[in-house]
Amino acid sequence: MKIAVLPGDGIGPEIVAQAVRVLQALDEPFELEYAEVGGAGYAAHGHPLPPATLQLAKDADAILFGAVGDFRYDNLARPLRPEQAILGLRQHLELFANLRPAILYSQLAGASTLKPDVVSGLNLLIVRELTGDIYFGQPRGIRNAPDGPFAGEREGFDTMRYAETEVRRIARIAFQSAMKRGKRLTSVDKANVLETSQFWREIVSAVHQDYPDVKLDHLYVDNAAMQLVRAPKDFDVIVTGNMFGDILSDAAAMLTGSIGMLPSASLDASNKGLYEPSHGSAPDIAGKGIANPLATILSAAMLLRYSFNKSAQADRIERAVGTVLEKGIRTVDIHEPGLRQVGTREMGDAVIAAL
Ligand code: IPM
Ligand code: MG
C-alpha cells in the first residue's frame, strides 16, 4: 500500500501532516513517500509538477494531495502556475472520475448560510468528469480571429468536446454510485444550447438502460444551480462535465457551511486515486496552525475505501470525526460560541484519540 504524499502549498503541509498521523494511527503497513508539487515544486525544481513527483505518483497505489497555489506564483506564465500540477496529475494519471460528496454533519447545521431545515441531513454526491471538456479540449489559444464579425482582432478560444467513451465511463461510475446510495441520478448539462451537452444527454440516457433501478433525470446547469440552493436535499447523485462540475461542486460545498469539511477522490479506471480536500491552499492562513484538517482526514478515509478496499478503516475515521464534532471540538472555520476552539494539530490529536 504505497501512498505518494504531495502536501503542496499554503496550508497543504499542515493539513496533510494531520491526515498522515491519522493513517499511521491505524497500524496498517502503509509506505509513504513525499514529493513537492505546485508552487513548492516550482520553487524546488522549476516546475509545478516536477518529473520525479509525477513518477512517484505513477508508481504509487494512491496519492494523498494537500493543495496548490500561492500569491507568490500568481504572475508566472500559465504553464508554470501551481494549478498546472493538479491538472497535469489528473491528465497523466487519467483520473477521470471526481467524486465530491457534500455532507452536512448534523452538529454543524448552524454553520450553513442556508436555513437549517433546508440543509439539515444534506447528503449528496457530485460525480464530475475530470479529464475532458473545455478544460483539456483542443484547439485552444489566443490568436487573430480568422473569421466571424471580429475577424482580424485578437481573440481567445477554447474547445468544449466529449468523446462517447468519456461520457460512457463517467456515466457508469455515476450510476454505480447511485446504486449504492438512494438510486437517484441527476445529469446536468446545457443541452438547450450546446451540441456537446446534447450528445452528453444522449449517451447518459443510453447508459441508463443498464441501470433500470436508478431514477434518472436531466437538468440544465442554470436550473441545477438554482435547485442546489433552493432544495439541495432533493438531490442524491449529480453527474456532470468538468466545467459545470467545477462550479456546482463549490456551490454544493458551501451548502454545508464549511468547505473545510469536504473530501474528494479522483479515480482512474482501476480505482487508483488521488485524494484531496475540496478546498484550496488558503495561503492567507498558512503556517498559523489554525486550518481545519478534517477535509484532508476524510480524504484519507476515501483513500482507504476506494483504493485499498478498507471500508472498515474508512468507517472508523469517519466515525471518529463525528465523535470529535459531537464533543464540540472545532477549528476556527466551524467554531460557534460555547464550543472548544482548537488548532490544526489539536484537531488531529482529537481524531486520533477518538479512533
Ligand atoms: C478544483 C479546482 C481546480 C479545477 C483548479 C485549481 C485547476 O478549482 O479542483 O475544483 O478547476 O478543477
Ligand atoms: Mg474548483
Side-chain angles (χ1 to χ4, degrees):
M1 292 188 287
K2 193 166 161 187
I3 305 176
V5 184
L6 312 182
D9 306 320
I11 59 172
E14 302 161 53
I15 53 179
V16 165
Q18 298 315 312
V20 165
R21 290 179 67 216
V22 169
L23 283 172
Q24 282 167 339
L26 297 176
D27 213 16
E28 296 269 358
F30 300 122
E31 251 182 73
L32 306 176
E33 261 194 77
Y34 288 75
E36 288 103 357
V37 75
Y42 177 78
H45 308 283
H47 195 277
L49 184 55
T53 302
L54 178 58
Q55 195 56 49
L56 178 71
K58 282 185 172 163
D59 293 343
D61 303 306
I63 300 150
L64 183 63
F65 189 94
V68 290
D70 193 317
F71 315 123
R72 278 176 291 174
Y73 307 107
D74 278 354
N75 295 321
L76 290 173
R78 193 147 45 80
L80 294 177
R81 286 179 58 121
E83 293 85 350
Q84 294 304 313
I86 186 69
L87 294 172
L89 283 166
R90 290 170 183 172
Q91 190 177 30
H92 290 294
L93 302 180
E94 294 178 76
L95 305 171
F96 68 88
N98 184 214
L99 310 184
R100 296 190 166 179
I103 295 171
L104 183 73
Y105 287 81
S106 54
Q107 300 91 337
L108 299 181
S112 176
T113 48
L114 274 75
K115 295 195 187 87
D117 59 304
V118 175
V119 287
S120 65
L122 177 80
N123 182 345
L124 64 84
L125 174 67
I126 297 191
V127 178
R128 169 188 175 196
E129 200 290 329
L130 206 56
T131 52
D133 202 356
I134 197 165
Y135 267 60
F136 293 98
Q138 295 290 342
R140 60 190 285 164
I142 297 173
R143 62 179 175 189
N144 290 322
D147 50 24
F150 302 100
E153 233 181 68
R154 287 182 76 226
E155 69 172 8
F157 66 106
D158 297 274
T159 303
M160 178 178 270
R161 57 192 289 184
Y162 264 124
E164 184 166 341
T165 302
E166 291 179 290
V167 185
R168 270 188 191 279
R169 65 186 182 181
I170 195 69
R172 289 202 180 285
I173 301 270
F175 280 111
Q176 285 159 13
S177 302
M179 286 297 289
K180 292 185 204 140
R181 297 173 40 107
K183 297 195 171 60
R184 286 183 299 117
L185 177 64
T186 303
S187 174
V188 173
D189 61 39
K190 190 71 185 172
N192 51 344
V193 179
L194 304 172
E195 316 297 329
T196 317
S197 283
Q198 189 188 322
F199 181 69
W200 171 281
R201 192 175 278 221
E202 179 196 314
I203 303 300
V204 172
S205 301
V207 174
H208 186 206
Q209 311 297 313
D210 297 339
Y211 301 90
D213 294 342
V214 175
K215 187 178 170 296
L216 171 69
D217 58 7
H218 303 271
L219 282 186
Y220 298 138
V221 62
D222 50 348
N223 187 17
M226 180 168 74
Q227 301 306 332
L228 257 184
V229 286
R230 189 188 67 84
K233 285 193 279 182
D234 286 359
F235 292 101
D236 178 17
V237 180
I238 293 175
V239 64
T240 189
N242 205 347
M243 181 81 257
F244 301 151
D246 179 45
I247 300 166
L248 293 181
S249 63
D250 266 26
M254 218 38 226
L255 298 172
T256 67
S258 175
I259 198 166
M261 295 297 300
L262 298 177
S264 79
S266 305
L267 307 174
D268 75 1
S270 57
N271 280 345
K272 171 168 171 171
L274 179 150
Y275 301 84
E276 58 173 329
S278 281
H279 59 71
S281 55
D284 51 325
I285 59 163
K288 295 191 177 159
I290 59 172
N292 184 349
L294 291 177
T296 317
I297 290 171
L298 292 167
S299 299
M302 288 185 94
L303 178 155
L304 294 168
R305 178 171 294 118
Y306 290 101
S307 286
F308 296 151
N309 227 339
K310 291 197 171 286
S311 297
Q313 295 285 42
D315 292 345
R316 276 182 73 200
I317 295 178
E318 287 163 359
R319 273 202 307 275
V321 169
T323 304
V324 166
L325 295 176
E326 200 55 57
K327 287 187 174 152
I329 299 172
R330 301 282 193 276
T331 42
V332 61
D333 55 309
I334 50 176
H335 187 249
E336 289 172 69
L339 301 178
R340 186 173 144 222
Q341 189 173 320
V342 299
T344 310
R345 189 180 168 90
E346 290 167 283
M347 186 55 109
D349 292 340
V351 174
I352 291 166
L355 273 178

